[in-house]
Amino acid sequence: MADSRDMKTVPSPIGESVPRIDALEKVTGEALFTDDLQFGPGLLYGRVVRSPHPHALIKRVDVSKALALPGVRAVVTGEECEEHIGLYLKDRYIFCRDRVRFVGDPVVGVVATTDAIAEEACRLVEVDYEVLEPVVNPLRGMDPDAPLLHPDLGTYGVVDFIDPKPGTNVANHFKVRKGDVESAWKECEVIVEREFQVPHVQHVPIEPHVAVAQFKRVGKITIWSSSQSPFAQRNLIAEALGISQSDIRVIAPYVGGGFGSKAGVSVEGTAVVMARAVPGQPVKVRLTREEEFFCAFVRQGLIAKTKVGAKANGEILAMKTNYYWDAGAYTEYGVNITRASGYSSTGPYRIPNVETDSYCVYTNHPVGGPMRGFGMPEIHWGIEQIMDIVADELGMDKVEFRLKNCLRSGDANVTGMIMHPIGLTECIEKVKQAIDWGIQETPSAAHKLRGKGLAIAWKAPAMPPNAGSSAWLRLNEDATVSLGVGGQELGQGTFTVMAQMAAAALGVPFEWMRISAPVDTKYSPYEWQTVASRLTWSMGNAVVAAAKDARRQILEVAAAHWDEDLEHLDIRDGQVISYRTEEVMPLEKMVVYGLPMPDDQGWRGGPIIGHGNFMPSYVTSLSNETGQGKRAVVHYTTGCQAVDLEVDTQTGQITILRVASAFDVGKAINPDQVRVQMEGGIVQGISTALFESLQYKDGVPHASNFTDYRIATSEDMPGEIISIIVEVPQDDGPWGARGVGEHPMIPTAPAIANAVYDAVGIRIFEMPLTAEKVFLAIQDQGAKS
């Protein structure tokens, strides 16, 4: 990575792969990490007593022995937590009050002078439970006679686009009814019906969840948190504790890996409640690696039952799908994943007759939450395999089948929304060419078979219709520019892209930009959350608006000073220029001190600060009964991925040789970062496709370390990744841009599954495709010759 002192001026940084600014010390002036020393000798440590049972009633809690241990400063229980908390559905307490619903549910918090003392005190807490039958499968959770996990579901606070079913274990039910599915089956030449399963997986960020909270004696709270959602955290905790949002300050330094797991509220709530018990002193709560596996959000499990019918000419006529989401004990984000999967349930296909029922089902598993792709990798696992099977039944080439049926600009999608301009067909064609589709490659050994598979994908930002962004931009005396944003840097490079956009819109060199970090809800402008692959588009629009506001102010001052019309002026490379007189004025000093009026008759101008905000105004509601509406989402990012692999028939080992990936990003603000996002998504997709699965026995997790839970390493990477950028501009995106952070993970697993079938003739419908599973399938079914 280039050092900032070696950088050259970039006159027009949009579309250029400029250096990442989170690697440049001078840009933020902030250390990447903080340590305990910054909080001084008064820092206390919090640990949590967690439920050992998947489902039980709390009968008695005795903390007397823990309180008597020297070094223990406070112990808190559910008695301190009267209100529920939750983003879309308020269905949990910060500390359990009467019932535990998964192994790891927080029951008691202990605050002590050292982490070791806090851990010892936790072992002294006595909790008596009445163990109840757990629900360990979403299909069981749907049974009328299943244990009811949330008897008070009907009393929970809920947003208007989520539809919980009181008296059941269904936290949300989303329906699509389009056309006449039952009649359409009669016109189909081929009908294929299959069931697909996706297990829970863990995000496993290298940096664990950690938060420090301080409850000041004047009633104000400060939280330092590794967070994707500082403003959402502030709001949710304020509502749960019954205090003003203005009395909570969340400071969020760079995040050491998130992938969705650090959105919403997790350890932050427990830290705040514990800090409230010791006013004035900060309390640090950090999940151990073991706790990370089952106490933080997991990706929801899924059982998908799908039926697809097509005419003899290859046209898809009908699709029926039931999704049963294993949402876990609480549904902080799970209810919206259920909704997003419903309105995306056809994949990027043009299908006139659709019936979808997507159920978010409570179980006694860890809490299901957002993970890269937000439900889309899970549903595409089934969609893209069943489309391959339909194509096989019809005797059609898989690429041609997709080109015939995929959505194009102007088509009506599953919810009736008319598709904006997209480049999906271009993505398919480019991937087809890059992977040498149709050419049979030679395996590397006699006991290995080689195959190619392909999958297409789509994803919209799954968010409320009014999720907003804001930004401010302040020019300094030397014309460097401080940019304030509320979106978080997770390693995805958003600070770099925001600086590029601001520099281009304002008219200054990129290296003049300074991001005001860390994100701090007391000073940073509002941002809904760093989720949904929306920052380049949404926060980017706010940044551009702030830059244009500052630019307008500067040009108005210059126009008055030169007695010029605004349309004759511009800002280029940090200077105001006149196209009429060819005069040039540097921005230094004038953007703070202004400019003198003639004959020493005063000054005009003053400190320049630009403000901008953005919120989509056009997303409409969907019918509760049909899922139809004018515009369900802001936009979709679409793409295609193909895999070339080998399968060792003696071991079942899958080796990924090549991956070709093409996505329509609207406009690549920073092409190198787009390619890196593609590579990262592919790698994470390979990991979940081949290795990852959280294992439970009767609701008790059995994988809580990297020995039992394998993730992909450098040894598992493809020999070649071909990243292809397609650019069909988004009408409301800055320079036409839209997000691509999550999308490359979505088609990876089904493309691998399709390639395995092409190689050995075997279909496996349950992730992951472990070597053992593939080997046993080969032994049972035999590999094709």
Side-chain angles (χ1 to χ4, degrees), residues 436-728:
D436 301 315
W437 187 262
I439 298 175
Q440 184 67 44
E441 312 285 355
T442 304
S444 62
H447 61 281
K448 294 183 178 181
L449 295 174
R450 193 160 172 177
K452 295 177 182 178
L454 179 138
I456 62 176
W458 70 342
K459 182 188 181 299
M463 61 187 200
N466 59 341
S469 300
S470 59
W472 54 254
L473 185 149
R474 183 184 70 241
L475 284 100
N476 304 309
E477 290 88 342
D478 61 355
T480 56
V481 183
S482 298
L483 176 63
V485 293
Q488 182 60 288
E489 179 59 64
L490 312 174
Q492 83 281 40
T494 195
F495 283 0
T496 306
V497 168
M498 293 306 121
Q500 286 181 259
M501 290 185 183
L506 183 59
V508 302
F510 167 73
E511 65 264 33
W512 289 16
M513 298 302 304
R514 306 289 186 271
I515 301 294
S516 294
V519 175
D520 183 336
T521 58
K522 185 174 181 179
Y523 301 109
S524 300
Y526 176 84
E527 179 60 53
W528 178 62
Q529 295 185 75
T530 303
V531 296
S533 301
R534 56 181 286 280
L535 289 192
T536 296
W537 163 77
S538 181
M539 192 166 75
N541 274 324
V543 165
V544 170
K548 288 182 176 179
D549 184 36
R551 178 187 178 87
R552 174 190 56 77
Q553 296 175 50
I554 294 169
L555 293 179
E556 285 177 352
V557 173
H561 184 70
W562 283 339
D563 193 22
E564 287 257 27
D565 291 332
L566 277 175
E567 57 265 27
H568 296 152
L569 303 184
D570 199 357
I571 303 175
R572 290 294 183 110
D573 203 23
Q575 300 181 99
V576 181
I577 60 174
S578 168
Y579 293 121
R580 187 174 66 83
T581 66
E582 297 186 356
E583 287 188 84
V584 175
M585 180 193 306
L587 295 181
E588 288 90 343
K589 299 189 185 306
M590 66 88 69
V591 290
V592 172
Y593 302 127
L595 294 170
M597 290 189 285
D599 302 322
D600 293 326
Q601 295 302 303
W603 291 72
R604 60 169 56 91
I608 301 294
I609 302 178
H611 297 88
N613 62 67
F614 174 77
M615 184 184 77
S617 58
Y618 40 75
V619 177
T620 62
S621 62
L622 299 177
S623 166
N624 287 338
E625 293 304 314
T626 67
Q628 300 300 292
K630 184 177 180 181
R631 188 160 181 173
V633 297
V634 292
H635 59 250
Y636 282 93
T637 296
T638 59
C640 178
Q641 214 157 269
V643 172
D644 178 11
L645 55 73
E646 281 186 336
V647 179
D648 188 326
T649 59
Q650 295 179 350
T651 65
Q653 180 82 30
I654 296 172
T655 301
I656 310 295
L657 303 173
R658 290 187 296 163
V659 179
S661 181
F663 280 88
D664 173 16
V665 303
K667 172 66 178 177
I669 304 298
N670 188 310
D672 274 358
Q673 288 193 178
V674 170
R675 295 186 187 97
V676 168
Q677 286 296 305
M678 289 188 188
E679 292 167 5
I682 289 166
V683 169
Q684 202 163 18
I686 289 171
S687 190
T688 57
L690 300 186
F691 307 118
E692 297 186 49
S693 174
L694 284 169
Q695 300 296 317
Y696 308 98
K697 184 175 181 180
D698 299 325
V700 179
H702 283 262
S704 57
N705 56 63
F706 288 124
T707 300
D708 299 326
Y709 186 93
R710 188 183 167 193
I711 60 174
T713 69
S714 58
E715 290 292 317
D716 306 301
M717 295 306 98
E720 181 183 13
I721 295 178
I722 305 164
S723 301
I724 303 165
I725 296 172
V726 172
E727 296 178 310
V728 176

Side-chain angles (χ1 to χ4, degrees), residues 241-316:
L241 298 184
I243 61 178
S244 170
Q245 286 82 353
S246 64
D247 289 332
I248 297 182
R249 178 185 182 189
V250 180
I251 302 170
Y254 286 143
V255 173
F259 314 112
S261 71
K262 292 174 182 172
V265 174
S266 54
V267 297
E268 298 81 13
T270 59
V272 168
V273 174
M274 286 190 263
R276 191 167 58 171
V278 286
Q281 289 189 271
V283 177
K284 180 179 181 178
V285 178
R286 176 181 59 83
L287 294 187
T288 65
R289 179 55 63 186
E290 181 182 24
E291 288 175 318
E292 278 287 328
F293 277 95
F294 58 94
C295 300
F297 289 140
V298 300
R299 188 173 80 175
Q300 292 189 132
L302 174 65
I303 297 172
K305 298 183 178 183
T306 302
K307 182 178 180 180
V308 175
K311 295 167 66 174
N313 67 358
E315 179 188 351
I316 302 172

